[in-house]
Amino acid sequence: MKLTLQGAGVSTGHVRNMKGIVTGLAMITVSENDNTIVVVPGANGRVDRACVDSINKELEKYDMVVLQHEIPQETVCRVPTAEEAERELDEKASLFTVRRKNWCA
């Protein structure tokens, strides 16, 4: 049986195919006392502020937005924290972004 994201209830409506650009890749190497993560961003490196701005109204509908640092840090910082969202949206919606404030200047 093949399980799809849509079949598991995951919305993929904002996933974009970028012609000529391959998906990203992250490899984790683990040793006894350390590990290393090598990221080749591919299409993930193209997720920019304009992309977040284009789906901002959609993001406002959710209680939580989980991001990983496979997309540019500037993009991660564009998604508001819960406190920022509360101020900006005047309590119409609350967003929780998994990121530390000190990651974004």
Side-chain angles (χ1 to χ4, degrees), residues 5-38:
L5 290 173
Q6 295 92 344
V10 176
S11 171
T12 59
H14 295 291
V15 174
R16 298 177 184 160
N17 290 320
M18 301 179 133
K19 188 173 182 170
I21 302 173
V22 297
T23 190
L25 170 73
M27 296 184 304
I28 304 170
T29 60
V30 180
S31 67
E32 189 173 318
N33 296 315
D34 200 5
N35 66 44
T36 303
I37 302 173
V38 177

Side-chain angles (χ1 to χ4, degrees), residues 31-82:
S31 67
E32 189 173 318
N33 296 315
D34 200 5
N35 66 44
T36 303
I37 302 173
V38 177
V39 176
V40 179
N44 289 339
R46 304 282 178 104
V47 179
D48 58 10
R49 293 175 63 115
C51 177
V52 173
D53 290 344
S54 74
I55 62 169
N56 205 30
K57 291 294 182 194
E58 181 71 16
L59 292 174
E60 291 172 2
K61 296 177 184 178
Y62 298 96
D63 294 325
M64 182 182 300
V65 177
V66 178
L67 302 169
Q68 298 181 9
H69 285 283
E70 294 169 354
I71 61 175
Q73 182 173 336
E74 176 182 291
T75 305
V76 172
C77 295
R78 182 70 181 134
V79 176
T81 63

